[in-house]
Amino acid sequence: YGLSTEGAWTDRGTGHASIVIENRMKFLMFTEENSHKVGYRRPILPLSAYQRQGDGDRPTILVWEDNQRDWALSFQDPDGLIEMFERLAAESRLLPMPTMSNLGEIAYKLGCV
C-alpha cells in the first residue's frame, strides 16, 4: 500500500517482497504476483524507520516513510512479517561484525563514507 497525497491508502497490488543486493547496495523490492512488475525498489533504510503494526502481539503490517511518502506491507500471517523484519534488521546494519573474512568489505564501506 502507498499513502496518497490525499491521505488515503491505495492498494499497490499483491506480490512478493524481497531484499536484493546489487553492486554492494541493498534494496527492498516488491514485485507484482502475476506480472512480476517492480512496484517498489529503494535502498534499505535504518531499522528505526520500519514499524510493525496490527492486532495485539502478532502484527502483520510493516509501515515506513520513504522519500516523504508512507508505505505499508501487509503480510498474510505474523510469521511473514517477523521474517522480513529480521532480514531488514540484519541488512540495515551499517557495518557487519568484523571477522577476518569480511575486513575487505568493511574497508570498502568505510572508504565510501
Side-chain angles (χ1 to χ4, degrees):
Y1 294 90
L3 191 61
S4 71
T5 56
E6 293 83 29
W9 287 105
T10 56
D11 187 344
R12 303 285 296 211
T14 300
H16 303 280
S18 60
I19 295 174
V20 295
I21 301 172
E22 296 175 5
N23 299 321
R24 299 187 183 197
M25 294 285 300
K26 299 171 185 179
F27 299 91
L28 176 59
M29 186 169 79
F30 328 143
T31 54
E32 291 183 17
E33 189 169 43
N34 294 327
S35 70
H36 302 287
K37 178 182 171 187
V38 175
Y40 179 92
R41 183 181 174 277
R42 300 279 299 154
I44 292 175
L45 302 170
L47 188 61
S48 61
Y50 302 98
Q51 299 175 16
R52 294 174 283 184
Q53 296 181 355
D55 296 330
D57 62 346
R58 305 232 343 126
T60 57
I61 301 170
L62 184 66
V63 178
W64 70 99
E65 183 181 331
D66 178 10
N67 203 19
Q68 300 178 348
R69 182 173 184 179
D70 290 331
W71 292 91
L73 277 177
S74 178
F75 292 84
Q76 289 180 346
D77 58 66
D79 293 336
L81 172 62
I82 291 168
E83 180 182 336
M84 178 56 72
F85 194 78
E86 287 175 352
R87 294 259 342 261
L88 286 167
E91 299 296 344
S92 68
R93 291 187 188 105
L94 295 177
L95 294 174
M97 294 298 293
T99 64
M100 292 304 289
S101 64
N102 70 3
L103 290 178
E105 176 187 359
I106 292 171
Y108 173 82
K109 288 181 177 184
L110 289 173
C112 293
V113 177

